[in-house]
Amino acid sequence: MRSPLPSPLLSLPGAVAGDGVDAPVAAHYGSFNAEQRTLESGAGFVDLSHRDVVRISGPDRLTWLHSLTTQHFLALQPREWTSALILSPQGHVEHAMTGYDDGESFWAHTEPGASGSMLEFLQRMVFMTRVELADVTDDWAVAWRGRSDGPTYDLVPRGELMAYADAAGPACGMWAFEALRIARGEPRHLVDTDERTIPNEVGWVGPAVHLDKGCYRGQETVARVHTLGRPPRRLTLLHLDGTENRLPTRGAELLLGGGGSTKAVGFVGSSARHHELGPIALAMVKRNVPLEVTLEVDGMPATQEVVVDPEVGLHVRPNLKG
């Protein structure tokens, strides 16, 4: 697996490097609260250059992607951003990507370090199809930009990142970006999900799963759960007790009950400090856990707010700005 190089934008004034999988880019540039407000206003940009970038070329690329993934690629318009998943035969999410087609190639980005296994799978599925695959992370970088007509991703030649920052500023860090993402209830693959996750549990039916298309691997599970409802787990927004100056560890068990009768009912993914909501996190919770009960993670009480309806498996949290 490639170890991402530190972003050149860490040389910008006030930049403080992140940690974990986001270590190669800036956590903040001095004030993550102010940076959240900047992004909410439709201004600024976020350096996501640690994400992997792949290019899928060839005249058969869209029909091929249509047959392999959860998304409808046949009617995809040029430069229209879309998300797609690759599922296991049992419907578990194995790979996730976001990208657009420029008329000659489909450009996609994934979580840091995730492109290798995805390309390995895709290469095995090429057969006689006129498709060419390439990892172009060394040459291309991802950024996220606030705009008055709606935020969007940008693909930037890696050697032009500093010029991009000058034009797109002010720079905002991952802490601000993550806080707003978590508040919107948008999960990150491999961060807020695990190997058992199905799209219906995390609100990906609709944004990344098109229900009116032909067969693809794992479709039977998605369709059955969508039709019958009641996915086994649900993505939930947690409001954490703010009296302690810390956030839960990713992967920490979510507990129900007290004293000697506690039981694990899920796990916590990403967490952040939101400038209005306070400390928040996303968690995967068993469907039958009552919404009104207070849970506990890393010794902190946590109340629940619905993100994915536990009965129908659709995302219901309002699409907050930013």
Side-chain angles (χ1 to χ4, degrees):
M1 180 184 298
R2 177 195 303 108
S3 296
L5 295 175
S7 170
L9 301 189
L10 286 173
S11 64
L12 293 177
V16 175
D19 56 14
V21 70
D22 297 325
V25 296
H28 63 86
Y29 296 87
S31 175
F32 64 91
N33 281 332
E35 291 163 24
Q36 289 181 49
R37 297 188 189 97
T38 296
L39 294 176
E40 285 187 326
S41 74
F45 80 96
V46 180
D47 178 13
L48 300 177
S49 61
H50 61 318
R51 291 181 65 83
D52 289 2
V53 182
V54 301
R55 184 180 64 222
I56 303 171
S57 306
D60 296 335
R61 66 191 181 282
L62 294 181
T63 54
W64 182 71
L65 286 168
H66 185 85
S67 68
L68 288 175
T69 75
T70 59
Q71 192 53 273
H72 198 300
F73 278 91
L74 301 184
L76 185 66
Q77 298 299 306
R79 303 281 173 175
E80 176 186 354
W81 284 92
T82 191
S83 296
L85 310 173
I86 297 173
L87 307 182
S88 74
Q90 294 75 35
H92 301 138
V93 180
E94 292 188 336
H95 307 286
M97 61 179 133
T98 297
Y100 71 87
D101 194 83
D102 65 3
E104 295 182 354
S105 300
F106 183 77
W107 300 76
H109 60 88
T110 72
E111 286 292 328
S115 67
S117 60
M118 185 178 77
L119 285 173
E120 182 180 352
F121 168 79
L122 290 175
Q123 190 64 58
R124 295 200 305 266
M125 305 304 293
V126 170
F127 303 118
M128 299 298 291
T129 312
R130 296 173 297 171
V131 170
E132 296 179 3
L133 307 172
D135 186 327
V136 294
T137 308
D138 290 342
D139 299 317
W140 291 87
V142 183
W144 188 94
R145 188 171 186 176
R147 291 171 43 153
S148 58
D149 58 348
T152 186
Y153 289 104
D154 285 332
L155 279 179
V156 185
R158 192 165 289 274
E160 299 177 14
L161 272 173
M162 292 301 293
Y164 175 88
D166 290 341
C172 301
M174 285 296 296
W175 283 4
F177 180 78
E178 288 289 272
L180 299 181
R181 176 189 65 80
I182 293 168
R184 293 192 299 270
E186 297 176 0
R188 281 177 70 176
H189 181 48
L190 306 176
V191 177
D192 300 304
T193 67
D194 61 12
E195 70 281 354
R196 296 189 295 116
T197 300
I198 62 173
N200 317 66
E201 295 177 322
V202 293
W204 277 336
V205 174
V209 178
H210 197 290
L211 292 173
D212 299 320
K213 58 167 287 184
C215 294
Y216 55 88
R217 193 167 75 154
Q219 182 191 29
E220 182 179 352
T221 297
V222 173
R224 181 176 67 251
V225 175
H226 180 73
T227 300
L228 300 178
R230 303 168 72 84
R233 301 180 299 177
R234 54 181 169 82
L235 185 71
T236 301
L237 179 68
L238 299 180
H239 294 269
L240 304 167
D241 185 345
T243 57
E244 297 192 46
N245 187 28
R246 61 189 177 92
L247 294 171
T249 304
R250 183 167 70 87
E253 285 189 331
L254 197 58
L255 302 176
L256 172 64
S261 62
T262 59
K263 63 177 181 179
V265 294
F267 68 90
V268 170
S270 48
S271 57
R273 293 179 176 86
H274 191 276
H275 69 107
E276 292 180 340
L277 302 177
I280 55 176
L282 289 177
M284 290 287 284
V285 185
K286 292 181 178 179
R287 181 193 57 79
N288 58 1
V289 174
L291 291 166
E292 65 274 11
V293 301
T294 297
L295 304 174
E296 182 181 301
V297 59
D298 276 356
M300 291 177 280
T303 59
Q304 306 174 69
E305 183 173 351
V306 176
V307 171
V308 175
D309 187 298
E311 296 302 318
V312 298
L314 294 177
H315 197 290
V316 295
R317 179 154 173 75
N319 187 18
L320 302 180
K321 291 174 62 180

